[in-house]
Amino acid sequence: MLDRRRFLGLSSLGLGSFSFSGFRSAPDIRKPIVISTWNEGIHANKAAWNVLGKGGRALDAVEQGVMVTEASQNCCVGLGANPDRDGYVTLDACIMDEYANCGSVAFLERIKHPISVARRVMEKTPHVMLVGSGAQQFAVEEGFPLEPGKLSDDAERSYRNWLKKSEYKPVVNIENGQKQTAYAPAKLENGNWNHDTIGMVAMDAAGNLSGSCTTSGMGFKMRGRLGDSPIIGAGLFVDNEIGAATATGQGEDVIRICGSHLVVELMRQGLNPEQACKKAVERIIKVKGIAKSKEIQVGFIAINKQGEYGGYCIQKGFNFAVCYADDQNFMVDGKYILS
Ligand code: GLY
């Protein structure tokens, strides 16, 4: 039998995958890899893969990936998204790298790429988080253009529609036979997708992890309301020794359990990404109760250092995009707990 010193020596040579029936080659680590929330993740992954596939850094990949979604006018991320109840689009985003550097912006108006401002906060200030007019001032000083504060045509229409009743509650709707919440994707009248958040986590060819998360938050929210997405540990968490996780759905419930941090810590305890995401979803249901959990949607996705990936959600309807090769960028339906 191998003594411990010899075993450690073999490990340092990358030959640590040992079984008592003999040696076998070390398991392949699937890298690079990138995953992201909802159907829009396919396009975001493609942009991320442009970086990862050329040996680029995960941090650049997760920024450039979600910028595609921020720029698109057909989902609830970026300036084309639904406004708050007072008619203003306010954006939240955060980013985290392999060194536990992180940056975040929240309640940011009239800036097209909040994820890039979050990265500047991380790289150019001694702080983690800037909000509201201060975040906007910083963005402008950094050269980000101040966009006209006009709603997109779709958002204008949705807002006018919402104003008729001005209901302020999560609305569980039925879409294509699937039960979804107002914060989960639903096909709009114009055929576009209604998303709440894109979260993305990636591992590059060097084995380093990063993540990003960006959103306009809950449609028709109270002015000033923040969800989980700009909060490190809630909407996103990266630990380069273990893995990375991000969240989508009703942010208040993700914040209550420090969701993404919880998923990473569960992976540290030995769970694979899917098991860890499932446990975090179960924690939300335990805290909230089954009846109230049926009124909301939350989904988590995660990767670990082995390049394994997984996701889980409260109820049917959540999916995520997975990419690990030029010809491997596909959707996975999130497993769910409540039906
Ligand atoms: N998960 C996005 C939000 O609640 O704002």
Side-chain angles (χ1 to χ4, degrees), residues 92 183 196-197 213-219 221 225-230 235 247-255 297:
D92 306 330
Y183 318 127
D196 82 332
T197 300
C213 189
T214 180
T215 190
S216 62
M218 191 183 276
K221 61 196 173 186
R225 177 264 182 192
L226 300 183
D228 58 315
S229 301
T248 181
Q250 181 141 304
E252 284 74 2
D253 294 292
V254 178
I255 294 170
Q297 176 69 298

Side-chain angles (χ1 to χ4, degrees), residues 238-258:
V238 176
D239 183 322
N240 205 44
E241 286 183 356
I242 304 297
T246 185
T248 181
Q250 181 141 304
E252 284 74 2
D253 294 292
V254 178
I255 294 170
R256 280 187 189 106
I257 64 155
C258 285

Side-chain angles (χ1 to χ4, degrees), residues 54-329:
K54 295 181 184 122
R57 189 177 169 202
L59 180 69
D60 295 321
V62 298
E63 180 188 8
Q64 287 175 37
V66 302
M67 282 173 74
V68 170
T69 325
E70 287 180 338
S72 92
Q73 290 287 311
N74 68 350
C75 68
C76 286
V77 172
L79 291 177
N82 283 334
D84 64 17
R85 63 195 307 176
D86 291 359
Y88 300 97
V89 177
T90 69
L91 303 176
D92 306 330
C94 73
I95 195 161
M96 189 163 186
D97 74 8
E98 69 269 35
Y99 305 110
N101 295 317
C102 40
S104 162
V105 288
F107 196 45
L108 177 63
E109 293 178 47
R110 297 178 57 190
I111 299 290
K112 188 171 177 183
H113 288 301
I115 197 65
S116 301
V117 186
R119 182 167 176 176
R120 296 284 175 94
V121 172
M122 173 175 97
E123 291 179 338
K124 292 201 159 182
T125 80
H127 308 300
V128 167
M129 197 164 194
L130 291 179
V131 304
S133 58
Q136 190 190 70
Q137 182 182 327
F138 171 73
V140 170
E141 283 165 9
E142 283 294 309
F144 291 85
L146 202 54
E147 306 289 340
K150 189 179 170 310
L151 295 185
S152 68
D153 291 346
D154 284 345
E156 181 78 43
R157 215 173 7 254
S158 307
Y159 183 50
R160 285 186 191 287
N161 207 29
W162 178 81
L163 281 173
K164 286 180 198 156
K165 286 191 181 167
S166 303
E167 274 185 330
Y168 191 59
K169 61 175 187 182
V171 181
V172 176
N173 55 10
I174 307 290
E175 190 71 26
N176 300 330
Q178 293 181 350
K179 190 163 71 168
Q180 300 177 330
T181 74
Y183 318 127
K187 211 93 186 211
L188 301 174
E189 280 167 21
N190 60 12
N192 291 333
W193 285 97
N194 176 18
H195 294 238
D196 82 332
T197 300
I198 184 156
M200 173 179 275
V201 287
M203 178 162 62
D204 59 30
N208 287 321
L209 301 169
S210 287
S212 59
C213 189
T214 180
T215 190
S216 62
M218 191 183 276
F220 320 120
K221 61 196 173 186
M222 276 180 77
R223 186 144 176 81
R225 177 264 182 192
L226 300 183
D228 58 315
S229 301
I231 299 177
I232 297 294
L236 175 72
F237 195 69
V238 176
D239 183 322
N240 205 44
E241 286 183 356
I242 304 297
T246 185
T248 181
Q250 181 141 304
E252 284 74 2
D253 294 292
V254 178
I255 294 170
R256 280 187 189 106
I257 64 155
C258 285
S260 295
H261 182 259
L262 175 62
V263 172
V264 172
E265 289 308 303
L266 288 165
M267 290 195 287
R268 191 189 306 279
Q269 290 168 25
L271 300 192
N272 69 33
E274 183 179 296
Q275 291 165 337
C277 291
K278 183 178 184 204
K279 275 253 182 267
V281 172
E282 285 170 348
R283 181 80 60 88
I284 289 178
I285 295 171
K286 187 172 176 206
V287 167
K288 201 169 179 77
I290 290 176
K292 284 194 171 162
S293 297
K294 283 184 175 170
E295 294 171 5
I296 62 155
Q297 176 69 298
V298 169
F300 292 104
I301 59 171
I303 57 174
N304 64 15
K305 283 292 265 192
Q306 287 68 50
E308 295 174 310
Y309 62 85
Y312 232 93
C313 55
I314 295 180
Q315 49 186 316
K316 190 173 178 176
F318 168 62
N319 61 1
F320 58 100
V322 176
C323 178
Y324 48 76
D326 287 343
D327 58 353
Q328 293 292 333
N329 187 16

